Amino acid sequence: MLDVQEAQNIVLQHTPPGRAVTLPLESAPDHYLAVDVIADMDVPPFDRAAMDGYALRAEDVQATPAFLEVIGESPAGLVPTFTIGHGQAARIMTGAVVPAGADAVQMVEKTEAGEAERRVRVLMPVGVGDNITRRGVEVRRGQKVLTAGRYLGAGEIAVLAMFGHVSVLVWQKPTVAVLATGDELVEPCENPKPGQIRNSNSYALAAQLRTVGLQATRLTVAKDTKADLRMRIVEGLAYDLLLLTGGVSMGKYDLVEEILAELGIAVFFDHVAIKPGKPVVFGRKGDGLIFGLPGNPVSSYVTFECLVRPALLKWMGGPTDALLMVTGELENRIKQKPGRMAFLPAWSVWDHGRWSVKVLPSKGSADIVAFSLANSLFVFPKDRTVYEPGDPVSVLLLDDFFRRRRATGL
Ligand code: AMP
Ligand code: MG
């Protein structure tokens, strides 16, 4: 059976790089940049005042207090037409152009305006260049300011705006459909009849997709009949990614693989040595990817994190090693049967300079209520059987780790 790492590699190998698309700047956040961005001007584009105060010649204020004649004003947005001579100064505002002749700005707090604002008393000396940001010291025209592949957060968006990019070439996000399968499933708004349960996986997967900025389409739940399942799968193949849940294990009505085969979809694996989640299918049709995740809610969640998330990140031009793995110290004793890499719900905290990891009690792969208390997944390597308190362990921090609060009273 494939290891989790091997399965991840197969998934990544078959994940096509996304298509580049031009988006308006407002729509570009949370995408990855597909081109380098070059500065179209110097920054600052002129010698810029860093303070509100007076533009002056430093040599005139070496002995203080010094009295200077105020010959004008340089507000932000205008280019001053006067030149500062000996014994002269001009009021200047932060972000304004430093007038010719001036070589320093003294901040207003270190001055006293004289009568009729025609004179100023400078109380403290300044050095040449003080409180002036010279043209081009931050960025030179022609310089590369963003490289292809950069994630577009608020800082990068500011850079794009600064250099006049009203639209930008980024990697397009895939379209994704989620398809739950099973005769026992009813929608959350319904009251399950005997033998039925509510479909939670479609909603959970859509929520996981949102953490990578994707708005999934939830398809109508497929029945466990070949005709209905086939119809829904065909519908789902119109999307870049189709995530199925359920119907991939060994039961008589686990029909997903059979129908994928009938539809000519190449399947690269249908089992991974992962716990929970052993039956997990990955296939490809053209540039479209198909995942058949197990039906148990925890298995669906975990296999998404281990296999689907890296594929989505690659598709969107992002880093594929972005699973947040940290090394910590285990709090409780924990055992398992060897053979599969296990992912167990855990609560991890950064405590006195180390990660402290507590594995949470759980009844297994269907127990999403217990699992929902986790902020991280304790990774139990497949060949190991026991961990003692204090042992160093690996944990995968969930994508919403930093937004989670420890639930109490459950
Ligand atoms: P299956 O993989 O179809 O055999 O399903 C495994 C288990 O997961 C069964 O107990 C199903 O009832 C349950 N299950 C399957 N799909 C869902 C779903 N969408 N939401 C919640 N539970 C599910
Ligand atoms: Mg089923």
Side-chain angles (χ1 to χ4, degrees):
M1 214 180 337
L2 286 178
D3 283 349
V4 177
Q5 188 62 53
E6 288 166 340
Q8 262 180 14
N9 289 342
I10 291 174
V11 167
L12 291 174
Q13 192 186 314
H14 288 283
T15 302
R19 298 171 283 268
V21 62
T22 301
L23 292 183
L25 191 55
E26 299 89 318
S27 310
D30 196 36
H31 287 80
Y32 290 90
L33 192 60
V35 281
D36 292 340
V37 174
I38 307 296
D40 72 339
M41 61 181 207
D42 291 341
V43 181
F46 46 81
D47 291 347
R48 182 182 69 193
M51 294 282 177
D52 294 324
Y54 289 87
L56 44 74
R57 294 177 176 230
E59 63 184 20
D60 289 347
V61 296
Q62 291 315 298
T64 51
F67 294 89
L68 301 177
E69 178 196 359
V70 178
I71 63 164
E73 187 170 275
S74 181
L78 292 177
V79 178
T81 49
F82 49 80
T83 298
I84 303 294
H86 274 301
Q88 295 183 324
R91 274 182 300 280
I92 192 161
M93 318 303 154
T94 303
V97 179
V98 175
D103 59 15
V105 168
Q106 180 52 292
M107 57 203 282
V108 71
E109 293 86 340
K110 292 181 179 166
T111 66
E112 278 170 17
E115 122 271 347
E117 302 198 334
R118 302 269 288 281
R119 284 170 68 76
V120 62
R121 193 154 98 116
V122 177
L123 306 176
M124 300 282 284
V126 279
V128 170
D130 283 3
N131 300 322
I132 295 177
T133 311
R134 293 285 176 198
R135 175 178 182 154
V137 295
E138 290 164 10
V139 179
R140 280 284 178 202
R141 181 195 165 114
Q143 185 183 323
K144 196 186 288 183
V145 284
L146 295 173
T147 45
R150 284 280 294 271
Y151 176 75
L152 297 182
E156 290 80 4
I157 294 295
V159 173
L160 288 163
M162 183 169 208
F163 296 105
H165 293 262
V166 291
S167 62
V168 56
L169 198 67
V170 297
W171 296 110
Q172 194 170 36
K173 295 190 175 187
T175 59
V176 186
V178 173
L179 175 56
T181 72
D183 281 342
E184 75 279 29
L185 302 177
V186 297
E187 281 305 299
C189 60
E190 293 176 64
N191 270 328
K193 298 196 183 70
Q196 296 184 325
I197 59 163
R198 296 194 179 98
N199 165 23
S200 58
N201 289 352
S202 292
Y203 295 86
L205 287 168
Q208 286 172 291
L209 287 160
R210 272 180 65 148
T211 67
V212 267
L214 295 172
Q215 195 72 46
T217 302
R218 276 179 292 104
L219 303 180
T220 306
V221 173
K223 296 286 173 203
D224 287 326
T225 63
K226 285 183 68 174
D228 196 56
L229 190 54
R230 172 189 259 270
M231 180 180 83
R232 295 296 169 203
I233 290 178
V234 168
E235 192 184 341
L237 292 176
Y239 296 78
D240 295 323
L241 257 86
L242 170 59
L243 302 186
L244 290 126
T245 67
V248 289
S249 38
M250 301 304 285
K252 181 174 171 200
Y253 298 103
D254 291 326
L255 303 167
V256 167
E257 273 197 86
E258 197 178 324
I259 293 177
L260 295 183
E262 283 177 21
L263 291 169
I265 293 161
V267 167
F268 302 107
F269 58 75
D270 59 5
H271 280 86
V272 177
I274 183 174
K275 190 178 168 186
K278 183 165 76 175
V280 50
V281 174
F282 170 65
R284 174 175 179 178
K285 189 171 171 76
D287 273 348
L289 302 183
I290 298 103
F291 289 89
L293 307 180
N296 268 315
V298 178
S299 313
S300 167
Y301 191 112
V302 167
T303 49
F304 177 97
E305 292 304 318
C306 293
L307 300 174
V308 184
R309 186 182 290 281
L312 292 169
L313 282 165
K314 180 177 177 196
W315 191 299
M316 297 188 297
T320 51
D321 55 356
L323 300 179
L324 289 170
M325 298 290 299
V326 298
T327 302
E329 206 173 283
L330 191 63
E331 276 187 39
N332 38 355
R333 183 168 202 268
I334 181 102
K335 294 192 298 182
Q336 74 153 3
K337 275 190 280 175
R340 289 189 276 160
M341 180 180 265
F343 292 83
L344 302 176
W347 188 263
S348 301
V349 288
W350 179 248
D351 180 29
H352 294 92
R354 72 195 170 106
W355 287 99
S356 170
V357 180
K358 184 172 190 165
V359 174
L360 304 176
S362 156
K363 303 278 185 323
S365 62
D367 191 1
I368 193 72
V369 174
F371 184 87
S372 71
L373 296 171
N375 67 354
S376 50
L377 301 179
F378 165 67
V379 183
F380 209 134
K382 71 170 189 174
D383 298 322
R384 186 146 174 181
T385 54
V386 65
Y387 275 94
E388 301 293 346
D391 278 353
V393 293
S394 289
V395 275
L396 191 160
L397 305 184
L398 294 177
D399 189 76
D400 51 7
F401 178 90
F402 290 104
R403 297 195 284 281
R404 293 187 158 268
R405 172 184 291 160
R406 181 85 202 241
T408 50
L410 281 175

